[in-house]
Amino acid sequence: MPVAADQTNHTERLPVTLTADRAAAGYPDLRAGQVVNIHAQGPVVFAIEDYLLAGARPSTAYAVVLDFYIGSCAGDFQFPFANGVTLTTDRQGDAHGQARITPAEVAAFGLHDTDWGIVWTFVDPEGVAVYATACTDVHID
């Protein structure tokens, strides 16, 4: 069965950087960090989010949390969404993970044909966002 790429929301690679609060607390800057947001819009996989942290605090678990802003990045903060993915860094502070979102999950949350500003954050065991992307505008078909 052929699958067409999403014509509205193209794949985006977002750098991940250390937040100011955690820099002051002594967390290290990343050697590299990114979120790749892919909207496949297929019949089995609606979207894939690929996560990479390199040079974070070693042996630390980071929960992936998406901060949603109404309509766009200029909108008001609406809610945080913990997607259930946790990245645990190795001895060098490196971790990689992925989330796959199905069409059924998008429908269950009532997200079809909505617009959001989204910031991906990596939250430490104390519940503080340590690393984050810049906000990006996302249309969910």
Side-chain angles (χ1 to χ4, degrees), residues 1-140:
M1 169 182 267
V3 176
D6 189 317
Q7 298 302 307
T8 305
N9 196 65
H10 300 288
T11 297
E12 188 171 16
R13 184 180 310 270
L14 302 160
V16 173
T17 58
L18 181 64
T19 64
D21 286 345
R22 295 329 270 173
Y27 272 79
D29 281 322
L30 295 173
R31 289 189 311 277
Q34 68 182 15
V35 172
V36 180
N37 183 27
I38 305 162
H39 281 235
Q41 205 170 328
V44 176
V45 176
F46 183 86
I48 298 169
E49 296 174 356
D50 196 64
Y51 316 114
L52 170 71
L53 299 176
R57 182 175 279 176
S59 305
T60 303
Y62 297 95
V64 179
V65 177
L66 287 71
D67 290 338
F68 281 77
Y69 294 81
I70 298 172
S72 73
C73 292
D76 291 333
F77 176 75
Q78 182 65 25
F79 59 88
F81 176 72
N83 68 4
V85 174
T86 299
L87 301 182
T88 301
T89 55
D90 61 17
R91 292 184 311 199
Q92 289 76 37
D94 301 339
H96 177 259
Q98 191 175 79
R100 291 178 178 261
I101 298 97
T102 67
E105 290 169 322
V106 172
F109 286 105
L111 294 175
H112 279 295
D113 199 30
T114 59
D115 294 296
W116 301 94
I118 300 177
V119 175
W120 281 262
T121 63
F122 298 85
V123 177
D124 70 8
E126 297 169 10
V128 178
V130 177
Y131 301 104
T133 68
C135 190
T136 189
D137 291 336
V138 176
H139 174 75
I140 301 175

